[in-house]
Amino acid sequence: MGRLFGTDGARGVAITELTCELAMQIGRAAALVLTKEAKHKAKIVIGKDTRISSDILEAALCAGICSVGADAVQLGVIPTPGVAYLVRSMGAGVMISASHNSVEFNGIKLFASTGYKLPDAVEEEIESLILDTPEKVTLQSHTNVGRMERYEHAKEDYIQHILESVPTRFDGMKIALDCANGSASATAETLFTALGAEVCMLSAEPDGTNINDHCGSTHMEQLMAYVPAHGCQLGLAFDGDADRCLAVDETGKVVDGDQMIAICAKALKASGKLEKDTAVVTVMTNLGFFHFTKREGIHAVATKVGDRYVLEEMKKGGYCIGGEQSGHIIFLEHATTGDGELSGAKLVEIVKQSGKKLSELAGEMETFPQQMQNVRITADQRNRWKEDEAVCSVMKQYEERLGEDGRILVRESGTEPLIRVMVEAKDADLMQEAVSAIAEELERYTKR
């Protein structure tokens, strides 16, 4: 993880941590690094979510971009995958969003003109220009400064792209959409209505302060109650910047990202479109997914936690679908990043074509009970716990007891001084026993 950029851009409490000054510096450095090969006057496109701080940070970014001679093109409120799509024809891009986080946070995500998030080396070059060699930033003046302009058709272009990726009509379907009072509020109703669905909108009235506030993919209770009460076939819930999607079946039960990937991978395989019969997931993916794929003749490749690692594996192996339990799903044939509205539309397409209820499709994958417990460690204890005899012994003991009907994953957090203990098992009592025993032994270790 870099000094400014984490696994998904620069992020922090807006204005006090992710300051206007830093946003302006990122704008300058990004414009210089990302457009140095440009043959004509460089352009940087900027999208944003609905947070009250997004306008302020947008102004600072635009000032930085224009001060070094590039043009800043404002797209307005749009999903993150909308920015990723538009940069391929318009130049490099920036998305201002803290995704599923609460309103006080914000973030800056950078996209290359290919539509992909930046590789580590390019982020490090931008960081170095800001932190180590700011004297290399040359400000422009007179007629050499950049211009600020608005592109008024960003939402329409993005919606049309999704429509072209989902040829099936949804006529006769009633769908509830929870937009988290975020970016999907600007596009989801138009998209799903254009596909022919009767749409019921929830949390689609952003006021700058209510993004992700007890709604969206991180708070599913509202949608779970609404779908069965109003006779919807299913519901879709997006996060603040709409790069994630989770679903609710007709009974109000959550269908998570693992189940969505399973449903989509099986449908792709049946149509001969699952590249190398493989789906890419992470080590945190539910064990039931691996049992499902084995039964269906689908290969499952597991990466480290994080959508960037899923994407890297997909590109390296030539695979077409991958994602995470959180609902961050990548359809590489159509998108360069996770796209919640595309994922949701693909799921609805399968429900429509199959003639089955979503509960039937999701029920084909057994979800194992899963529990996690965190244990706090100090910096000097990182990695050393893995060699502790007592810790290793209790983990081995429960691995043997769980056998093929469960698994244990113990890993350090990449963002906090924590060890995360995760256990899955068909036997919920044994799962709870294993989590408690391993966590207690780790806590004893931290005090030795």
Side-chain angles (χ1 to χ4, degrees), residues 96-108:
I96 305 168
S97 176
S99 191
H100 59 284
N101 292 134
S102 52
V103 67
E104 69 271 21
F105 294 95
N106 217 324
I108 296 173

Side-chain angles (χ1 to χ4, degrees), residues 288-309:
F289 179 88
F290 298 98
H291 284 226
F292 169 85
T293 52
K294 184 178 181 181
R295 186 180 73 239
E296 297 294 334
I298 297 170
H299 304 295
V301 177
T303 73
K304 292 191 292 185
V305 175
D307 63 277
R308 67 162 48 201
Y309 303 113

Side-chain angles (χ1 to χ4, degrees), residues 391-434:
V391 171
C392 293
S393 176
V394 72
M395 286 173 60
K396 184 178 179 182
Q397 173 192 339
Y398 281 99
E399 283 171 352
E400 290 174 352
R401 289 181 63 185
L402 289 167
E404 292 187 357
D405 289 332
R407 66 167 178 154
I408 297 167
L409 180 64
V410 182
R411 67 181 187 93
E412 290 181 13
S413 166
T415 57
E416 301 174 89
L418 298 172
I419 302 172
R420 303 196 190 280
V421 180
M422 190 276 285
V423 178
E424 286 175 337
K426 279 189 175 182
D427 184 334
D429 291 336
L430 180 57
M431 173 193 68
Q432 177 62 60
E433 181 185 332

Side-chain angles (χ1 to χ4, degrees), residues 307-326:
D307 63 277
R308 67 162 48 201
Y309 303 113
V310 172
L311 179 59
E312 284 174 8
E313 186 64 33
M314 291 176 70
K315 290 169 67 179
K316 184 175 73 174
Y319 308 128
C320 65
I321 187 171
E324 299 184 280
Q325 194 177 74
S326 62

Side-chain angles (χ1 to χ4, degrees), residues 213-229:
D213 186 9
H214 295 90
C215 57
S217 63
T218 52
H219 301 278
M220 301 283 286
E221 298 81 11
Q222 174 185 218
L223 188 62
M224 292 166 67
Y226 187 95
V227 168

Side-chain angles (χ1 to χ4, degrees), residues 257-258 261 280-282 285 310 314 321-325 328-330:
D258 292 342
I261 296 167
V280 181
V281 289
T282 77
T285 294
V310 172
M314 291 176 70
I321 187 171
E324 299 184 280
Q325 194 177 74
H328 196 285
I329 302 172
I330 304 168

Side-chain angles (χ1 to χ4, degrees), residues 102-117:
S102 52
V103 67
E104 69 271 21
F105 294 95
N106 217 324
I108 296 173
K109 307 177 189 181
L110 302 175
F111 290 89
S113 59
T114 57
Y116 293 108
K117 294 176 184 176

